[in-house]
Amino acid sequence: MTASTTTPGNPTTQMSSTTTPTPPTKEAAIDQEPQAAAAAPVELRADCIADSAGGLTFDLNAPESAPTSWNAALVLRLRGGDGADDEVRLPLGPNGSGRLRAVLPSTVALAEGRWNAYADLGDGSDPRRLLPGINDLRSLVDRRPLAGIGRLGVRIPYATKFGNLALRSWLRGPHAEAGDIRVTPEGITVSGRLYGASPAAGAQAEARARRTTRAVDDAPPAVTVPLDIEGPDFTFTLTHEELAGTGRDGGEPWDLWLRPAEDAHPVRIARLLDDVPDKKQIFRYPALPLPTAAGPVRVKPYYTLDNDLALRFTDPED
């Protein structure tokens, strides 16, 4: 039997021996979500400072809530690499209130490629991807290493398309650094400087067809021109005659090399000594109209994804 009570001015309320809990309202559930959700990890950003010798300093924000230990490290991993030398750990130590610092000396060699940056705080959890902070790369602009340097290391920090911190690394010796490139009605003139070797008798520039499929003994066609030399600096010009001699050969690119002496190994011509990690979309050059036996074409210099200098032949309407 169910009892009831009546209060003046109020509707009758039924009292039962069993009570069904009232479900929470939508607003109440929303209010509870932030309390139930796990706290997101603190974002770790790294400011980078480059020095003229090729070294890099990383300064990380380190909130008090982020635990660190004596074995904390900044971890660099070569993208696509799986060898023992494809991971580099740099000690990560305190550098003032709320800051951690790691240093990549110029004497530590990084293989050519793209290196992803992580922070291992030594707390037992997996290393976390670093986000880019402020980059001070002023010392890389118009960098002039010693001409006698045997091997040249270049490391440029940048933000990936996913917004993470990475390094673009080159390791070359000798190295032919491209400077001014002029496209004129007479041809294409390239100036630059050679590092790690001295131009000697028989020094020349070579334009080589880039062929990915060919017989082992089938050397790609090449066009050579002499260098004008002044100390470590060089200049050469590919005229209409030389360029027309390359032909189009299916529109394949032609890579530019420098041979320091007649019996020396060729050196790839590239532009590395500045603060631009990817030059292909930044440095643009006009196309040169060129008459050939197969008909008119257009040829223009450009930088590859590795910042190497190359030539591209296209149809006049392209």
Side-chain angles (χ1 to χ4, degrees):
M1 181 175 180
T2 302
S4 66
T5 59
T6 302
T7 303
N10 292 303
T12 301
T13 303
Q14 298 293 328
M15 304 295 293
S16 174
S17 59
T18 60
T19 304
T20 301
T22 303
T25 63
K26 181 179 181 181
E27 290 76 15
I30 291 175
D31 289 341
Q32 293 173 3
E33 284 178 356
Q35 298 176 358
V42 177
E43 290 185 344
L44 296 178
R45 292 185 178 272
D47 300 332
C48 296
I49 304 174
D51 62 47
S52 59
L56 284 174
T57 299
F58 301 86
D59 285 324
L60 281 64
N61 64 309
E64 294 181 359
S65 59
T68 57
S69 68
W70 63 269
N71 60 341
L74 187 143
V75 182
L76 300 174
R77 291 176 179 167
L78 180 63
R79 196 176 300 171
D82 56 3
D85 296 332
D86 296 335
E87 178 174 295
V88 174
R89 296 179 64 90
L90 306 172
L92 196 57
N95 183 46
S97 177
R99 302 286 281 176
L100 296 172
R101 170 169 285 188
V103 177
L104 174 64
S106 60
T107 53
V108 174
L110 290 184
E112 285 205 20
R114 298 177 187 269
W115 294 72
N116 295 329
Y118 301 80
D120 182 352
L121 300 181
D123 55 359
S125 38
D126 292 335
R128 292 160 50 186
R129 284 300 299 268
L130 284 171
L131 301 178
I134 299 174
N135 289 338
D136 184 354
L137 308 181
R138 290 173 292 179
S139 63
L140 299 183
V141 179
D142 296 327
R143 180 183 168 198
R144 285 293 188 96
L146 296 175
I149 190 170
R151 186 171 62 173
L152 182 66
V154 177
R155 287 78 72 92
I156 305 178
Y158 71 99
T160 70
K161 64 180 180 180
F162 297 110
N164 297 311
L165 178 64
L167 299 183
R168 186 67 178 91
S169 174
W170 292 268
L171 189 62
R172 299 192 178 183
H175 166 61
E177 176 73 5
D180 293 335
I181 299 174
R182 300 189 300 276
V183 179
T184 68
E186 291 73 32
I188 297 173
T189 299
V190 178
S191 299
R193 170 169 287 202
L194 183 62
Y195 294 93
S198 299
Q204 59 187 16
E206 299 179 358
R208 294 185 188 175
R210 186 191 309 166
R211 294 193 172 174
T212 56
T213 57
R214 64 175 184 271
V216 175
D217 296 330
D218 180 20
V223 174
T224 61
V225 293
L227 297 181
D228 291 330
I229 300 170
E230 186 175 347
D233 299 327
F234 63 85
T235 303
F236 65 89
T237 299
L238 288 165
T239 64
H240 267 168
E241 182 179 358
E242 282 94 16
L243 291 171
T246 65
R248 294 185 57 196
D249 207 7
E252 65 182 344
W254 287 66
D255 295 322
L256 297 184
W257 298 74
L258 186 147
R259 194 178 292 273
E262 185 175 359
D263 57 348
H265 291 290
V267 178
R268 195 71 169 85
I269 301 175
R271 182 161 183 159
L272 309 179
L273 298 177
D274 56 28
D275 60 342
V276 182
D278 295 295
K279 298 177 175 62
K280 188 171 185 179
Q281 304 301 327
I282 304 297
F283 290 79
R284 300 293 188 94
Y285 300 97
L288 175 69
L290 183 67
T292 69
V297 298
R298 295 168 68 86
V299 59
K300 65 181 297 183
Y302 76 100
Y303 286 106
T304 70
L305 293 175
D306 291 326
N307 292 352
D308 295 324
L309 188 59
L311 302 177
R312 177 181 289 122
F313 291 84
T314 64
D315 292 323
E317 61 271 14
D318 291 341

